[in-house]
């Protein structure tokens, strides 16, 4: 009867952990790693929009004015530039693009940590520290994608020591200009990285969940 069937099923479920024959495993392959990295880049894009607005207001005019678009100074070349021709960028191998992303975010993270130690308000320091933690997660996530695809991490240190080796800005305006370009390049890197990982995840199949029945004593 139905009560007997229910009792049997309960007994079977209670004893299921004791049956080594059934083994469930999840293969966390490159597909899932790429998806997680893509999601993180989009999250960082959202974070940066708020952080950049707050930080530019902290810098004051003209940096917080919507139409402020200064030429890139020679000093700003210290910051890794994302202004590469899109066709040239897409022509690179997946390995080359991943390595470029890994190196760039490692360096950008060093510069951001310098900012974190220089700002004068506790709220902005808190936001910068939170963003730095998220960006560190992105660097590690990109490294995980490279490993899952069989690519080696870029040789040498991930980025320059903090503070960067270039001399400090000679005046307050140029220091603010450095900060402005840091945020501007970071926005461009995240925008392009999101597109990179969106394309890459279409090339790599998602993770597969498999059930294996191991014959032990049957």
């Amino acid at each position: 009867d139905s009560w007997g069937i229910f009792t049997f099923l309960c007994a079977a479920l209670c004893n299921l952990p004791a049956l080594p024959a059934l083994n469930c495993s999840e293969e966390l392959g490159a597909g899932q790693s790429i998806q997680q990295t893509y999601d993180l880049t989009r999250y960082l894009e959202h974070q940066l929009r708020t952080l950049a607005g707050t930080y530019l207001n902290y810098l004051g005019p003209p940096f917080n004015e919507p139409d402020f678009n200064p030429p890139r100074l020679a000093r700003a070349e210290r910051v890794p530039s994302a202004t590469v021709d899109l066709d040239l960028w897409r022509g690179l191998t997946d390995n080359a693009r991943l390595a470029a992303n890994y190196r760039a975010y490692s360096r950008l993270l060093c510069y951001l940590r310098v900012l974190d130690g220089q700002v004068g308000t506790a709220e902005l320091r808190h936001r910068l520290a939170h963003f730095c933690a998220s960006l560190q997660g992105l660097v590690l996530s990109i490294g995980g994608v490279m490993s899952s695809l069989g690519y080696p991490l870029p040789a040498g240190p991930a980025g320059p020591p903090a503070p960067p080796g270039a001399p400090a800005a000679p005046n307050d305006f140029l220091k603010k200009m450095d900060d402005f370009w840091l945020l501007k390049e970071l926005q461009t890197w995240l925008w392009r990285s999101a597109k990179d990982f969106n394309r890459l995840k279409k090339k790599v199949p998602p993770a597969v969940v498999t059930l294996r029945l191991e014959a032990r004593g049957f």
Side-chain angles (χ1 to χ4, degrees):
D1 57 4
S2 59
W3 178 252
I5 295 174
F6 176 75
T7 304
F8 172 77
L9 289 174
C10 288
L13 288 172
C14 290
N15 288 280
L16 186 59
L19 296 176
L22 187 63
N23 181 24
C24 178
S25 64
E26 183 178 3
E27 298 174 3
L28 302 178
Q32 183 168 346
S33 182
I34 293 166
Q35 179 65 54
Q36 290 174 346
T37 308
Y38 168 76
D39 293 339
L40 184 52
T41 57
R42 297 308 305 268
Y43 172 68
L44 280 162
E45 279 189 293
H46 173 74
Q47 262 193 294
L48 185 60
R49 279 193 290 270
T50 302
L51 175 61
T54 303
Y55 195 85
L56 292 178
N57 284 332
Y58 168 76
L59 295 180
F63 301 96
N64 59 346
E65 296 173 358
D67 57 348
F68 182 63
N69 188 28
R72 188 180 175 107
L73 302 179
R75 288 182 48 79
E77 297 301 327
R78 300 183 297 144
V79 178
S81 176
T83 55
V84 178
D85 180 77
L86 283 179
D87 290 334
L88 178 62
W89 179 259
R90 291 172 182 172
L92 298 176
T93 64
D94 292 335
N95 186 10
R97 281 194 301 272
L98 286 168
N101 276 282
Y102 182 87
R103 285 191 297 264
Y105 288 121
S106 297
R107 289 183 60 198
L108 290 164
L109 180 61
C110 290
Y111 287 105
L112 282 170
R113 283 173 172 161
V114 174
L115 292 191
D116 189 21
Q118 294 175 345
V119 295
T121 67
E123 179 185 357
L124 189 51
R125 282 197 303 271
H126 174 75
R127 291 192 180 191
L128 278 167
H130 179 67
F131 187 83
C132 284
S134 299
L135 192 61
Q136 176 66 54
L138 179 61
V139 173
L140 295 174
S141 188
I142 294 173
V145 170
M146 296 185 72
S147 297
S148 66
L149 293 174
Y151 302 143
L153 293 181
N171 58 60
D172 186 60
F173 182 83
L174 290 179
K175 168 63 177 63
K176 290 180 178 181
M177 187 71 80
D178 287 345
D179 297 349
F180 174 85
W181 275 106
L182 172 61
L183 295 174
K184 191 176 182 68
E185 288 293 351
L186 187 53
Q187 286 177 324
T188 308
W189 272 105
L190 288 171
W191 170 80
R192 190 172 63 187
S193 295
K195 292 186 176 295
D196 286 346
F197 287 108
N198 188 45
R199 285 192 296 268
L200 190 58
K201 71 179 183 177
K202 294 176 182 178
K203 296 170 59 176
V204 180
V208 178
V209 178
T210 59
L211 286 175
R212 295 199 305 269
L213 187 64
E214 299 176 359
R216 295 183 181 177
F218 290 95

